[in-house]
Amino acid sequence: MPGHRSGQSWPDSIRTRLASLDTTELAATDDLHQPTGPALAAMDLAAHCFGAGRTWFLTNGSTGGILTLLAGLVGRGRKIILPRTCHLAVSHALALLDIEPVWLEFSRPVSTDPLGFLPVVAVNQIADAIALHPDSTAVFLTSPDYYGRCADLAAISLVVHQAGMLLLVDEAHGAHFAAAPGHLPRTALASGADACVQSAHKTLPALTQGGYLHVSESLMNQDPRTAGRITAALRIFQTSSPSFVIAASLDFARAYLEKHGQEQIEKTLVSIQDLAMALWPDYLISPATATPVRGEVRDPLRMVIRQREPLALPATQLALELSLHGIDIELSDLTRLVLIPSLDQPGHDFERLRLALSAWLKKPQPDRPASDVDVLQLEQHWLELLVQPPEMALTPGSVLLEPVDTEIVPLISSAGSVMAQAIAPYPPGIPLLLPGERMDQARLDLLLALRDNGINLSGVDHDSIRVVV
Ligand SMILES: Cc1ncc(COP(=O)(O)O)c(C=O)c1O
């Protein structure tokens, strides 16, 4: 996990005591579901650090947090406005809770960015969706996205609140934002969001599955039922024995962020800037500054690296090469690598990365892309289809939660079939088709081309998929 570098980011007092922290609900340890003592104190400290009215520790990641937010603050059978580019956990929550999605519309061609594949949602898209669906309960957005690009949540929250709706944010990739407001984008809460979830293990020294669910002070004051509803939903979606080891790491991560976050972030930003300069112009590396570029704010700690054009090979090949040098990347799409430096990433690791990237340029590379599909054109096509809903033949809930008959068919002959499970090209793992949606020829051709360019297809096993009979 990038957050703690195999435990190297932890002091011995944590690293060597993980087993002894694995306790249960005792008088001295408190109860994570009904905290009144030390667990409550730790969550209160987190609420203060992250600028929340109240914080809950998540021991089942942002996945459990998203289910909890949608169950606790939206509720069954309601309607929410959101983009198609959400994490799979959101689709599962919609299915389980029978929530109707209003997909945001993107004008075509969908604009992409050399350093960020996914489109950033704009305030006018939200306003249009609200005007068409004033009966929605909430707007749900992911910000920052996997590439560190942030939506203008401050402007969006005004529009959402004017319509009497809630703004809920998947801030899975932004748990570190609170530490260095001068250097990093404003947090979702500081931008007016009503509630958000964060995966601590992605960017902070916390164990995998560690996350925070924050509710804003204004929502806590406005609706006194909020705390009870979140607590009740957490009891449904988290184990009845939440891990104290994970909870302790969440408490440590908060303390680390408060004590060392600013200093470490400043150091890391200098390392990223030096690397970007050393590799220019062979590689384009995302700017190590939160100053808006063309009006867009991005997380300067999220390193997005792109080889200069023309691309000889999809970036997935470069990712494989880096793994041979012991460098683990967060993801690679067709043209970019995304890396998450830990807050305490040593300088020599950046030097190792520089050497590996320089060595790659010296390797003989073919003049043409690996397949005969132009990589940039393929990427644009992918994006267009990613944001557009295909035909929905059945609701995701009826396919996932009712005993429907399914069969396995070869991917190549699946045009016209209704999906029994989500199909998500990975990375970045955003579903192209949800359960109940119908495969069309355009999506099938795209999936085959992505597969040929080294993108894994989650939901496709040995070139076969499960469909509804
Ligand atoms: C944007 C986003 N949201 C939610 C999740 C789920 O987070 P977790 O792994 O903490 O459950 C992820 C995980 O990759 C993610 O990238």
Side-chain angles (χ1 to χ4, degrees), residues 60-81:
N60 187 22
S62 289
T63 300
I66 287 167
L67 284 157
T68 302
L69 272 191
L70 293 179
L73 299 183
V74 175
R76 250 164 80 128
R78 302 293 180 85
K79 214 182 202 187
I80 63 168
I81 295 169

Side-chain angles (χ1 to χ4, degrees), residues 60-64 66 87 89 142 144 146 170 172-173 199 201-202 209-210:
N60 187 22
S62 289
T63 300
I66 287 167
H87 189 265
T142 304
Y146 300 74
D170 176 350
H173 292 265
S199 295
H201 60 95
K202 291 189 196 300
Q209 294 187 207

Side-chain angles (χ1 to χ4, degrees), residues 63-104:
T63 300
I66 287 167
L67 284 157
T68 302
L69 272 191
L70 293 179
L73 299 183
V74 175
R76 250 164 80 128
R78 302 293 180 85
K79 214 182 202 187
I80 63 168
I81 295 169
L82 73 173
R84 289 278 294 182
T85 49
C86 287
H87 189 265
L88 190 55
V90 180
S91 323
H92 289 156
L94 301 184
L96 268 171
L97 296 164
D98 211 12
I99 291 176
E100 184 188 336
V102 173
W103 302 121
L104 284 172

